[in-house]
Amino acid sequence: EVGPRWRTPLEHERLMVLPDDWTRWGIDEKGRTIEMSDAARYHMTGNGVVAPIAEHIALNILEAVAGENPGSEILRSANEYE
């Protein structure tokens, strides 16, 4: 019986909405371009934030602060307690 397979670094990049091979190349301490290990690539994508989701959250916060979002009522009522 075969278990689930590991996702490739490329698949991790795509899940994070990064361009293909975004984490493939790095620069060493001497300034040379080097190919990153799969472990390093998994680490980089695992510690990342999905950019479109972060953008969506940030825009909703900005709209709420500007009073353009119905959820901003929550912020206004929370400010009354300060």
Side-chain angles (χ1 to χ4, degrees), residues 8-56:
T8 66
L10 179 61
E11 290 170 319
H12 275 243
E13 290 170 339
R14 289 177 178 171
L15 287 169
M16 297 295 292
V17 195
L18 295 170
D20 288 359
D21 293 328
W22 182 257
T23 61
R24 185 173 183 181
W25 303 102
I27 299 176
D28 69 8
E29 61 279 348
K30 294 182 181 178
R32 297 177 295 201
T33 300
I34 58 169
E35 188 167 4
M36 303 299 288
S37 69
D38 284 355
R41 295 176 73 188
Y42 288 127
H43 185 79
M44 286 185 273
T45 54
N47 285 333
V49 176
V50 180
I53 292 174
E55 179 183 30
H56 179 77

Side-chain angles (χ1 to χ4, degrees), residues 35-79:
E35 188 167 4
M36 303 299 288
S37 69
D38 284 355
R41 295 176 73 188
Y42 288 127
H43 185 79
M44 286 185 273
T45 54
N47 285 333
V49 176
V50 180
I53 292 174
E55 179 183 30
H56 179 77
I57 292 168
L59 289 173
N60 277 301
I61 291 170
L62 291 172
E63 289 173 359
V65 170
E68 298 171 8
N69 187 326
S72 63
E73 294 173 18
I74 297 168
L75 287 178
R76 281 195 291 276
S77 62
N79 290 332

